[in-house]
Amino acid sequence: MPTFTGEEALNYDQRIGKLVPGYALLHQITAAQLRVMLGQDATILVVGAGTGREIVELAEQNQGWHFIAQDVSADMLDIADQNFTNLGIRDRVTIHHGKLTDNAFQADAALCLLVMHFVQDNGDKNDLLMQISHNLKPEGRLFLADLMLPGTNFEREAQFQFCHNVLGLTDQGVEKMRRNFVEEFYPISLESLTSLLEKAGFSTPIVYFKALGFSAINTYKRN
């Protein structure tokens, strides 16, 4: 799994919107579900929190929520820490650098958005889902969005063209994206994801977002 450092960390927020069709909508509809699902004093675990953008947006919507910002990139978390401090929400965020340990937290819900495709399907995906499960309360919700295996033989090419023609990704960016699909990304099918989730103690997932290769599901931790 790559660790975003230096310039990659600094430029992440500017770049990601050009790589994921419907990026803003994904976060908006995830937040909408959290608002009706969680209490005023809920704790949300954000896996792969990066620069903290998701947490900042959620913190603005509910003054009582607390957050756990987990990431393997120290540079990303340094940026997040500064963002939290600048916006006056640092006291509502616990920062966790590195992998999650068993039962370190007891969150009411977890977000794992656009993380899993960086994790190899050699047991590591299962390990990550188990780590999330162990840090959720019983019946705690998981919202997971990820790059999936293509459903058609033209979906990937449509994805590249959309990012270039509509989202403004440069020619160089498209070529890098093509390489990453071969060298750095490990997408799986919805069926395989469902199997991994059930093995980690989650319910059968429900799809709530889909856009050119990316899907988002919600599920909950079974008792």
Side-chain angles (χ1 to χ4, degrees), residues 145-171:
D146 206 32
L147 176 71
M148 310 299 290
L149 285 176
T152 66
N153 59 6
F154 53 81
E155 185 175 57
R156 282 289 184 258
E157 191 59 36
Q159 186 176 354
F160 297 140
Q161 290 191 22
F162 186 88
C163 290
H164 179 54
N165 297 329
V166 179
L167 300 183
L169 189 64
T170 64
D171 291 337

Side-chain angles (χ1 to χ4, degrees), residues 27 34 43-50 52-56 58 66-71 77 84 93-94 96 100 107 109-113 115 132 143:
H27 287 79
L34 291 172
T43 297
I44 302 171
L45 167 64
V46 181
V47 178
R53 180 175 175 179
E54 294 163 68
I55 290 175
V56 167
L58 291 171
H66 287 75
F67 304 89
I68 302 151
Q70 180 276 337
D71 208 289
L77 287 177
F84 300 150
V93 183
T94 298
H96 181 87
L100 290 166
L111 304 183
C112 184
L113 305 182
V115 174
I132 295 171
F143 290 82

